Amino acid sequence: MKHRSFLLYLPVALLLTPFFLAPMAVIGTESFSGQHGVGAEYVKVVTDQGIRTVLYNTFYVAAMVTILSLLIGYPIAYVLARLKGRWATIGIFLIFLPFWASTVIRSFAWMILLGRKGPVNSILLGIGLIEDPIRFIDNGLGLMIAMTYIMVPFIVVPILNGLRAIDPNLPRAAAVLGANPWRQFLAVTLPLSMPNIAVGCTIVFVTSLGFFVTPSLLGGDLTVVSMLISEQANRLLDWPLASALAIIVLLLTIVIFALLRLSQLASRRRDKARSGVFA
Amino acid sequence: MLQMVSRSATTAESRAAGGAAVSIHNLCKRYNNFEAVVPTSVEIASGDFFAIIGPSGSGKSTLLGMIAGYIDPTAGRIVVDGRDIVPEPIYRRNIGMVFQNYALFPHLSVAQNVAYPLKIRGVAKHEIARRVRESLAMVRLEAFASRMPSELSGGQQQRVALARASIYQPSILLMDEPLGALDKNLRDEMQEEIKRFQQELGATVIYVTHDQQEAAFLADRIAIMRDGAMTQIGSPRSLYEQPKSRFVAEFLGEASIFPVKTASGKLTDQTCRITLEDGTETVIRTGEDGGPGRFACIRPERITIGPKARGLANAYTGVVRESLYTPGSIRYRVELKDAGCLLKVRALPQHNTEVFETGSSVDIGWSVDDMTILAE
Amino acid sequence: MSVSEKKLWTAWSRFLTGLVGAILIGFLVPILVVVAVSFQSKSYLSFPPTDFSLRWYQQFIGNDDYRSAILNSMMIGASAAALATIAGISTALAVVRARAPGSAIVSTLSIAPAVLPQIVLAIGLFPISVWLGLQGTLWAVILAHAVIGLPFPFITVCGALTSYSNRIEIASMTLGANAFQTFRLITFPMIRPAVIAGFIFAFAASLDELVLALFLSSPSTRTLPLLLWEQLNFQVTPEIAAAASVILAVTSLLILAATLLPRLDKDN
């Protein structure tokens, strides 16, 4: 029985060892094999002004997209969580419908919408809100709009799950104690959905760090790290630098998820300690 | 409880002599430093209904799991029909098992569920159809053959599980709390169904439950488990009337139990006097060593309350501390005068039976045969 | 709470629901815009469209590049999803049912491709693909996409396996079925909806993936997103919108099938 359970790992081992673990090892070694000496690539990443700007841009966009996604996604999840039966199904279906369209197509859609003569500018000009068309695609605004559009489903799902798991008697209890709906939300619903907000934000932030398609099409002059890596590898054939950048992105991803996991463990321990007081 | 009294304890023992269907030798299971089942040996006769009862965590389910084969024993042998089945995988053991939540296959119909073991064994199609019909007839579910398990009530699902576990005539039938998920009325009904089913098949059954009433109703022999060991094995009657320990006495039915302070010595050839911890003296039948460190145990229905108690070998007066009329019996807690001991008493209400109110003084007593001595 | 205050809260709640409804419908607008511009005759994108024509659809149908890209994407998607599903099922069985040692690490690794930026994997896979002689073949992209598809069947099947007790499988084995028979007759039918869902998710992930394809494919193994990407970078014509509309229609049908199939399955 025992040695047989290992056989079940065989397919995944055959898939992940050469095509997931080995690539990680390859970029690890590649990043140290530059002509300028061991570690020179990492020094360059830290010191090169251009690269630092790219990293800053990537973080800035990812952070903005995370905030925007949360601001739009939370109310959606909140309303969906209170819907019942068919309406809830329809709501979830609607939120996932664009999710199924390919990222290239969704980015293309925003290229049309946000173009200089696109419908958004025509409407804004038409109602007299602006006098000159907004250059969405040059200033990074279009990129953030399109990325938020793509990321919202990723934050709605975990928050929706969290909100649905809240015992409906808790807000009721708060109401009985005299809290109005807004205070019920602040005292019960929001704190209880915090762990899921953290999960959703982490997923959105990390995914946004790795975006390639949308920034390439809608970023204008703005370069993000995925584009830089691709450019270094494909066009400039500087694999050591590309690998060093990839390793940094990889480590960042691991660190962010480790932080999330640590905070989850800490809050669980806190809950345990708390329940211990009453036990 | 009446059930237990009426059944002869000797039938099971005489059958046991006929040859063991299952004999377990020094079977044990250790998890790291925790002994879930200490080395245990027991023989179960062919056609016997053997119940294992005990509180949760006592090791009864682990024991059953080792017999079924989904838990590997640390050591020991399980001999079924003359062969040790421990080295064999579950699917070659030819054992039938009924699970707590029935474990019916939700994607298969009733008939397909019951046919499953025959299909696996490569039985011919028409033969399967015939035997499934017979088997479903036995549990009176012929009309439900094409239903899905989710369309059946709990009791019906239970009967499908019975039919499925027995259709291939397994050497033994294991049941793990099969009635645990049913409500009280249905449970009583299913108990009779299981008993009838077992007798018709002549099957050897090992039945795990935490419900002592259920075990007493169904089983020829009961093993009481505690901390991974079978503390006492016997017929329901012998376990109830001659428990060997406080644990058994308290687990099976109600009892008032008091530590014995001294054994004051022999009165006659057949009786002796003992003193309980609170100073109460009482006369019991000789035979048990009623010394310090032991316990005196008396069942609530063995205590006589009211004027009739005056003539008994042990007669006292007491004060009723609690009085409760429940369907079928009147329950009291009586404190003996000049002693601290509180006795649980159960009287059968008959025509004109007086119900004593809380606070009233009563006569109370028992004969020399009513109190038993527990070794631990 | 006074009556008017109560009314105020009800109104606020209705407003919020309405707002979210509007946002959700607004989410469809970008997609509808793509479909709308595909039906015009002009050779540049203009919105709102001023006329109706199927010109770009005709061109799309006649375009061999699209035909071979769609074929490639389908073959890559189906193969990658199949590989991911097989690996996902067996890993989920090992982790949930067999409780094999190291399950925490294997689970993490099996989910990791879903969150790892694809550019990182692409950079590492390229030299390996060259070294193994896979570069430029369909297999390079298939295997890469199998890796990024793996988390989906793994997660769905883990969910299905934890949703019912392993008693069902133990019962099957006490009834005489060995591990393989138990999987074929009991486990697989019970997890089938999750397997189908996982397969479709993995397939969709492959259909959507661009970065790995960018690094690992050759002109003959070009995938659909890659072709769209090249067209977008080269010259934007409504033909792309027509292609996108067709892809949207096909994916919509696929999702519909994915949501309806398990339900039909249950009814039978």
Side-chain angles (χ1 to χ4, degrees):
Chain A
M1 279 302 267
K2 265 167 205 142
H3 62 272
R4 250 204 238 151
S5 63
F6 275 111
L7 276 181
L8 290 170
Y9 282 152
L10 194 64
V12 83
L14 285 177
L15 183 63
L16 290 187
T17 311
F19 304 113
F20 186 69
L21 297 176
M24 298 304 129
V26 164
I27 46 175
T29 44
E30 184 74 28
S31 71
F32 286 106
S33 67
Q35 298 165 342
H36 315 293
V38 174
E41 313 303 330
Y42 291 96
V43 174
K44 189 173 179 191
V45 169
V46 180
T47 53
D48 188 297
Q49 193 55 46
I51 295 177
R52 276 164 63 172
T53 310
V54 168
L55 288 175
Y56 170 79
N57 286 342
T58 312
F59 269 94
Y60 174 71
V61 169
M64 289 303 289
V65 168
T66 307
I67 292 166
L68 287 172
S69 300
L70 180 62
L71 289 179
I72 297 173
Y74 198 96
I76 295 178
Y78 182 78
V79 168
L80 286 184
R82 290 155 61 103
L83 290 178
K84 288 201 181 67
R86 191 160 20 124
W87 285 107
T89 318
I90 291 172
I92 290 166
F93 184 74
L94 275 178
I95 197 138
F96 266 100
L97 204 61
F99 173 76
W100 288 100
S102 107
T103 316
V104 180
I105 294 176
R106 278 182 289 174
S107 305
F108 169 54
W110 284 102
M111 284 170 74
I112 303 172
L113 275 165
L114 298 175
R116 272 177 62 86
K117 290 176 185 164
V120 173
N121 268 324
S122 334
I123 291 170
L124 291 178
L125 284 169
I127 58 175
L129 225 63
I130 50 172
E131 284 173 11
D132 294 311
I134 301 176
R135 302 166 70 91
F136 287 105
I137 293 178
D138 295 331
N139 60 14
L141 194 58
L143 169 62
M144 285 187 254
I145 292 173
M147 277 175 70
T148 303
Y149 173 70
I150 293 169
M151 292 318 301
V152 162
F154 289 89
I155 207 164
V156 168
V157 171
I159 295 177
L160 180 60
N161 286 336
L163 290 173
R164 279 190 173 160
I166 294 175
D167 183 348
N169 282 328
L170 290 176
R172 277 179 212 148
V176 170
L177 294 171
N180 65 32
W182 175 240
R183 302 208 60 126
Q184 291 166 33
F185 174 77
L186 284 185
V188 179
T189 315
L190 187 63
L192 284 176
S193 56
M194 264 316 177
N196 299 75
I197 292 178
V199 170
C201 286
T202 308
I203 291 172
V204 170
F205 186 75
V206 169
T207 314
S208 301
L209 283 183
F211 255 68
F212 175 82
V213 177
T214 318
S216 303
L217 294 175
L218 288 154
D221 302 329
L222 197 120
T223 306
V224 295
V225 72
S226 286
M227 291 159 68
L228 181 64
I229 295 174
S230 167
E231 192 184 65
Q232 292 296 332
N234 266 348
R235 227 167 285 162
L236 306 172
L237 298 176
D238 189 348
W239 285 86
L241 182 60
S243 300
L245 285 165
I247 285 289
I248 284 169
V249 172
L250 174 67
L251 289 179
L252 268 175
T253 308
I254 293 172
V255 166
I256 291 166
F257 272 97
L259 284 177
L260 174 70
R261 187 91 196 104
L262 280 179
S263 79
Q264 286 172 338
L265 289 176
S267 78
R268 203 167 299 160
R269 209 169 305 137
R270 216 166 35 236
D271 289 349
K272 226 180 237 168
R274 243 181 243 156
S275 65
V277 173
F278 297 107
Chain B
M1 286 306 138
L2 286 176
Q3 273 295 333
M4 303 204 309
V5 183
S6 69
R7 192 186 300 135
S8 156
T10 51
T11 50
E13 262 93 66
S14 66
R15 240 185 296 176
V22 186
S23 46
I24 289 168
H25 301 284
N26 292 319
L27 192 67
C28 66
K29 179 68 188 177
R30 203 177 300 118
Y31 294 102
N32 297 325
N33 291 321
F34 171 66
E35 268 196 300
V37 174
V38 304
T40 297
S41 298
V42 65
E43 304 231 318
I44 297 156
S46 180
D48 214 357
F49 199 118
F50 188 82
I52 302 173
I53 63 176
S56 53
S58 59
K60 54 192 197 301
S61 290
T62 309
L63 191 69
L64 201 71
M66 289 193 283
I67 300 171
Y70 56 86
I71 296 175
D72 287 331
T74 307
R77 288 189 300 143
I78 304 166
V79 178
V80 177
D81 294 337
R83 69 197 160 103
D84 181 12
I85 58 167
V86 169
E88 291 184 20
I90 309 179
Y91 52 89
R92 291 226 192 83
R93 293 190 175 193
N94 202 36
I95 279 172
M97 179 144 182
V98 177
F99 293 85
Q100 182 164 19
N101 292 311
Y102 326 126
L104 296 181
F105 305 132
H107 61 292
L108 300 180
S109 70
V110 167
Q112 285 170 325
N113 260 284
V114 178
Y116 185 80
L118 299 182
K119 191 177 158 196
I120 292 292
R121 285 167 174 75
V123 176
K125 266 207 175 127
H126 61 276
E127 169 82 0
I128 293 181
R130 185 183 61 78
R131 279 167 68 181
V132 167
R133 257 198 317 279
E134 282 175 13
S135 185
L136 285 178
M138 230 184 126
V139 293
R140 294 174 314 205
L141 283 174
E142 308 97 309
F144 296 85
S146 55
R147 297 273 188 97
M148 297 307 279
S150 57
E151 299 169 303
L152 302 183
S153 70
Q156 289 167 334
Q157 291 187 37
Q158 178 60 261
R159 274 146 50 194
V160 177
L162 271 178
R164 186 181 70 175
S166 58
I167 193 168
Y168 51 104
Q169 287 143 356
S171 329
I172 40 176
L173 206 48
L174 308 179
M175 300 195 195
D176 186 10
E177 307 245 6
L179 306 182
L182 301 178
D183 59 44
K184 175 99 181 66
N185 286 339
L186 200 52
R187 206 153 57 211
D188 294 345
E189 200 181 298
M190 280 308 298
Q191 281 179 15
E192 294 186 27
E193 180 96 21
I194 288 177
K195 190 72 197 156
R196 178 185 65 81
F197 188 78
Q198 183 251 346
Q199 280 165 348
E200 266 177 53
L201 282 174
T204 311
V205 172
I206 302 178
Y207 189 101
V208 162
T209 178
H210 63 268
D211 183 336
Q212 35 116 356
Q213 297 263 8
E214 193 176 298
F217 178 87
L218 287 166
D220 301 308
R221 287 203 301 155
I222 297 176
I224 297 186
M225 284 198 80
R226 179 198 194 184
D227 299 335
M230 289 186 176
T231 59
Q232 196 174 347
I233 305 173
S235 68
R237 181 174 183 174
S238 73
L239 288 179
Y240 186 72
E241 294 186 354
Q242 291 125 36
K244 290 204 180 94
S245 62
R246 275 187 84 144
F247 178 77
V248 172
E250 282 174 333
F251 193 78
L252 216 61
E254 275 187 293
S256 305
I257 297 172
F258 309 102
V260 177
K261 196 159 86 187
T262 48
S264 315
K266 234 162 112 172
L267 283 180
T268 67
D269 278 352
Q270 279 161 11
T271 57
C272 63
R273 190 191 301 278
I274 57 168
T275 311
L276 305 181
E277 208 174 48
D278 64 338
T280 309
E281 291 188 344
T282 184
V283 179
I284 62 165
R285 181 78 60 189
T286 337
E288 296 286 346
D289 175 14
R294 306 197 164 222
F295 297 92
C297 161
I298 188 160
R299 297 291 183 186
E301 70 278 8
R302 291 294 194 94
I303 298 174
T304 309
I305 187 164
K308 268 191 261 171
R310 273 176 223 157
L312 294 170
N314 299 294
Y316 311 89
T317 53
V319 180
V320 176
R321 290 289 173 219
E322 212 177 293
S323 165
L324 191 67
Y325 187 95
T326 61
S329 62
I330 310 165
R331 290 154 188 272
Y332 298 106
R333 279 177 191 270
V334 178
E335 189 180 327
L336 291 191
K337 277 208 177 115
D338 308 321
C341 75
L342 205 59
L343 290 156
K344 286 179 213 162
V345 182
R346 188 158 71 229
L348 289 178
Q350 279 155 347
H351 181 59
N352 279 345
T353 301
E354 189 185 349
V355 178
F356 302 101
E357 299 295 330
T358 306
S360 55
S361 278
V362 286
D363 289 301
I364 186 168
W366 52 88
S367 77
V368 292
D369 292 311
D370 290 323
M371 195 169 257
T372 50
I373 296 298
L374 311 174
E376 51 173 333
Chain C
M1 212 184 286
S2 67
V3 176
S4 65
E5 202 183 333
K6 197 171 175 182
K7 264 186 192 159
L8 211 68
W9 284 114
T10 319
W12 162 245
S13 148
R14 287 215 184 110
F15 167 74
L16 196 65
T17 312
L19 183 71
V20 165
I23 294 176
L24 287 182
I25 290 166
F27 266 51
L28 298 178
V29 167
I31 286 169
L32 296 177
V33 166
V34 172
V35 177
V37 292
S38 71
F39 288 111
Q40 60 180 316
S41 63
K42 294 199 192 79
S43 58
Y44 58 90
L45 291 173
S46 74
F47 192 92
T50 44
D51 57 353
F52 180 87
S53 117
L54 290 175
R55 171 183 165 198
W56 299 108
Y57 283 88
Q58 280 163 346
Q59 187 164 334
F60 166 73
I61 290 163
N63 191 330
D64 282 343
D65 283 349
Y66 274 112
R67 198 176 304 154
S68 78
I70 288 173
L71 209 65
N72 282 338
S73 268
M74 289 292 153
M75 281 203 298
I76 290 168
S79 318
L83 289 177
T85 305
I86 291 167
I89 293 173
S90 78
T91 313
L93 283 173
V95 168
V96 180
R97 280 290 184 264
R99 298 213 182 88
S103 61
I105 289 179
V106 176
S107 300
T108 310
L109 282 178
S110 300
I111 296 170
V115 291
L116 183 80
Q118 278 145 13
I119 187 77
V120 176
L121 187 58
I123 291 281
L125 256 178
F126 178 75
I128 287 176
S129 159
V130 172
W131 185 65
L132 289 174
L134 296 172
Q135 188 57 23
T137 69
L138 281 177
W139 279 108
V141 189
I142 289 172
L143 290 163
H145 282 186
V147 171
I148 61 154
L150 173 69
F152 303 104
F154 174 68
I155 290 168
T156 56
V157 174
C158 276
L161 287 175
T162 40
S163 74
Y164 69 90
S165 157
N166 68 339
R167 298 262 133 172
I168 295 275
E169 277 119 10
I170 290 176
S172 161
M173 294 182 96
T174 64
L175 294 169
N178 61 31
F180 181 70
Q181 287 168 318
T182 299
F183 178 77
R184 190 168 57 88
L185 297 167
I186 305 300
T187 312
F188 188 75
M190 290 191 65
I191 61 173
R192 189 162 48 203
V195 171
I196 293 172
F199 180 91
I200 288 172
F201 276 113
F203 191 85
S206 167
L207 275 189
D208 186 29
E209 204 289 324
L210 171 71
V211 180
L212 287 160
L214 199 63
F215 275 76
L216 299 172
S217 64
S218 64
S220 68
T221 63
R222 186 165 50 193
T223 62
L224 190 56
L226 191 51
L227 179 63
L228 288 170
W229 167 258
E230 286 173 4
Q231 303 256 334
L232 282 176
N233 281 316
F234 174 62
Q235 189 184 19
V236 181
T237 66
E239 187 188 0
I240 303 171
S245 304
V246 172
I247 297 160
L248 282 173
V250 173
T251 16
S252 305
L253 283 176
L254 245 141
I255 309 156
L256 217 61
T259 42
L260 290 183
L261 269 182
R263 247 175 244 177
L264 289 177
D265 207 53
K266 219 175 255 175
D267 292 343
N268 284 337

